[in-house]
Amino acid sequence: NAGVMQNPRHLVRRRGQEARLRCSPMKGHSHVYWYRQLPEEGLKFMVYLQKENIIDESGMPKERFSAEFPKEGPSILRIQQVVRGDSAAYFCASSPVGGANNEQFFGPGTRLTVL
Amino acid sequence: QQQVKQSPQSLIVQKGGISIINCAYENTAFDYFPWYQQFPGKGPALLIAIRPDVSEKKEGRFTISFNKSAKQFSLHIMDSQPGDSATYFCAANDRSGTYKYIFGTGTRLKVLA
């Protein structure tokens, strides 16, 4: 059973470009969480999605950031017009259920560098 | 109230020693407390987790101690090995909202051979 997959593993963008990060949850998991980790810091929650629905986007900046988890295919975190401050590691985690028993399994992350 | 405070920031332990990492929280709506281990360039991996209805949970060399009244919990790594050298994060799951995880700031552990 493959774990959570993320691609690309490394992404370099120039300021103003778009970054598109993909996350394929574990088989049978329908809940996806995105977290951002700045260098030398802990993980900060960004957004929680179920298939075709955004459940909680309270940690995601209101501008330039968006996320989706379509019925078919991976979850996508999209950052438009990237700035240097967006440079970070972005992790997604998946869970088979939501709620109190939502043990989360993390992917290897995408390391975004904005030049 | 949404914070989980973790200490120490870094820790050096001799091989065979006990590593202890502490976390504290304020929000009584937190009801699930996992610990994650992260190696450089990798994603966090679940190590062990506890719910507040028990005071201790042990899995191999890893033990979580939980003090509900003090709102504190800690990770103990017995017989620490160089392969345990990694960054450890505590987290809490907020049942008053959407159960997203709130992470501590991490402890960088180095175990000397």
Side-chain angles (χ1 to χ4, degrees):
Chain A
N1 186 14
V4 177
M5 299 175 69
Q6 289 187 250
N7 66 81
R9 295 292 308 276
H10 299 273
L11 183 60
V12 179
R13 285 286 178 267
R14 296 193 180 279
R15 280 179 298 170
Q17 292 184 318
E18 178 180 289
R20 198 173 280 243
L21 288 60
R22 294 175 188 77
C23 169
S24 296
M26 288 178 70
K27 188 176 180 181
H29 288 196
S30 59
H31 299 254
V32 166
Y33 303 78
W34 285 93
Y35 294 85
R36 176 164 64 177
Q37 185 177 35
L38 295 170
E40 307 300 320
E41 292 189 14
L43 289 86
K44 295 281 196 285
F45 168 79
M46 297 182 73
V47 62
Y48 164 34
L49 310 102
Q50 293 180 34
K51 285 285 188 182
E52 300 184 278
N53 290 301
I54 295 175
I55 307 303
D56 181 352
E57 56 183 349
S58 60
M60 198 156 68
K62 294 285 187 286
E63 297 181 355
R64 301 188 299 109
F65 286 73
S66 62
E68 63 177 12
F69 189 15
K71 187 176 179 181
E72 301 290 339
S75 176
I76 307 284
L77 179 67
R78 185 181 175 209
I79 312 172
Q80 295 178 287
Q81 299 175 319
V82 296
V83 300
R84 289 223 172 102
D86 297 332
S87 295
Y90 292 82
F91 292 95
C92 81
S94 74
S95 174
V97 296
N101 297 314
N102 71 338
E103 184 176 320
Q104 296 181 25
F105 298 86
F106 281 79
T110 293
R111 278 145 188 89
L112 172 66
T113 301
V114 180
L115 302 178
Chain B
Q1 269 226 329
Q2 282 294 325
Q3 281 189 322
V4 176
K5 295 182 180 179
Q6 184 171 348
S7 63
Q9 190 173 2
S10 62
L11 182 61
I12 299 175
V13 173
Q14 293 287 339
K15 180 182 175 181
I18 302 174
S19 303
I20 301 175
I21 304 170
N22 301 299
C23 285
Y25 64 98
E26 291 292 326
N27 191 340
T28 55
F30 291 164
D31 74 346
Y32 177 71
F33 303 89
W35 283 89
Y36 282 84
Q37 179 189 57
Q38 185 180 31
F39 293 103
K42 305 292 185 185
L46 179 64
L47 202 56
I48 187 172
I50 197 167
R51 294 197 183 277
D53 51 348
V54 298
S55 59
E56 186 175 280
K57 183 174 181 180
K58 184 175 181 180
E59 289 184 3
R61 296 185 294 110
F62 301 93
T63 300
I64 300 178
S65 297
F66 189 86
N67 186 330
K68 188 174 181 178
S69 60
K71 300 196 197 82
Q72 295 175 349
F73 58 110
S74 60
L75 175 70
H76 296 234
I77 306 174
M78 313 300 285
D79 187 26
S80 299
Q81 299 296 312
D84 296 330
S85 297
T87 300
Y88 293 81
F89 294 96
C90 61
N93 174 336
D94 183 357
R95 65 177 160 80
S96 69
T98 55
Y99 295 91
K100 59 181 177 282
Y101 283 2
I102 309 297
F103 280 87
T105 50
T107 296
R108 186 173 292 181
L109 171 65
K110 183 167 185 176
V111 181
L112 302 176

